[in-house]
Amino acid sequence: MRLYLGADHAGYQLKETLKAYLLDEGHDVVDVGAVSEDSVDYPHFAARVGRAVARGDGERGILVCGTGVGMAISANKVRGVRAANVTTAEFARLARAHNNANVVTLAGRYTSADDAKEIVDAFLGTEFEGARHSRRIDAIQQLEDEER
Ligand code: RB5
């Protein structure tokens, strides 16, 4: 799968860990930065990943900051992005199955490498269930259109 991956300084270490893991799993990974633990502003990285996913350049996006919250707020400003801030594999599974999330955001300061790998596996390995959930995703899109 072609994936876009981004982080700020607080998510840098976990991003690097996930990048190695995902490459090892055979994914095509585009790393948009950050490139170190020097302080940077997370919205810029959320924009790069969110826009790439919304354009269809990548199938899914993964963003890491300290809590994942700032990344989720920022990525969700991009039309077509459904970013979910997730702390368990079960929430990642549900974010895909029910919400058709195309971006997952992680808490670099609070999520272990092993938990993050499980979360990402669930996020990448779960299909959207459609059916009644499609109606709700359509309603999200309508809301987005109304707010233009
Ligand atoms: C950076 O200190 C921190 O605020 C950021 O990584 C993130 O947690 C914001 O939501």
Side-chain angles (χ1 to χ4, degrees), residues 60-114:
R60 307 263 170 89
I62 300 167
L63 287 163
V64 194
C65 62
T67 59
V69 173
M71 286 296 196
I73 291 171
S74 305
N76 277 317
K77 299 295 180 194
V78 178
R79 287 174 56 77
V81 167
R82 291 175 299 280
N85 186 26
V86 156
T87 53
T88 67
E90 178 62 1
F91 272 37
R93 189 187 69 73
L94 288 166
R96 285 289 311 138
H98 290 191
N99 311 114
N100 201 12
N102 49 14
V103 173
V104 70
T105 74
L106 300 171
R109 289 185 173 140
Y110 302 94
T111 304
S112 71
D114 285 348

Side-chain angles (χ1 to χ4, degrees), residues 31-82:
D31 181 355
V32 306
V35 296
S36 75
E37 290 184 285
D38 292 346
S39 184
V40 290
D41 298 330
Y42 55 81
H44 304 301
F45 301 92
R48 288 178 197 166
V49 168
R51 286 174 176 153
V53 171
R55 276 196 306 267
D57 293 348
E59 283 178 66
R60 307 263 170 89
I62 300 167
L63 287 163
V64 194
C65 62
T67 59
V69 173
M71 286 296 196
I73 291 171
S74 305
N76 277 317
K77 299 295 180 194
V78 178
R79 287 174 56 77
V81 167
R82 291 175 299 280

Side-chain angles (χ1 to χ4, degrees), residues 2-20:
R2 187 170 174 82
L3 307 171
Y4 275 71
L5 185 58
D8 71 355
H9 52 285
Y12 173 75
Q13 287 296 347
L14 187 57
K15 170 177 72 74
E16 292 300 299
T17 300
L18 288 176
K19 181 164 64 175

Side-chain angles (χ1 to χ4, degrees), residues 106-127:
L106 300 171
R109 289 185 173 140
Y110 302 94
T111 304
S112 71
D114 285 348
D115 285 352
K117 288 174 190 172
E118 280 184 22
I119 287 168
V120 162
D121 282 346
F123 178 64
L124 300 179
T126 306
E127 290 302 317

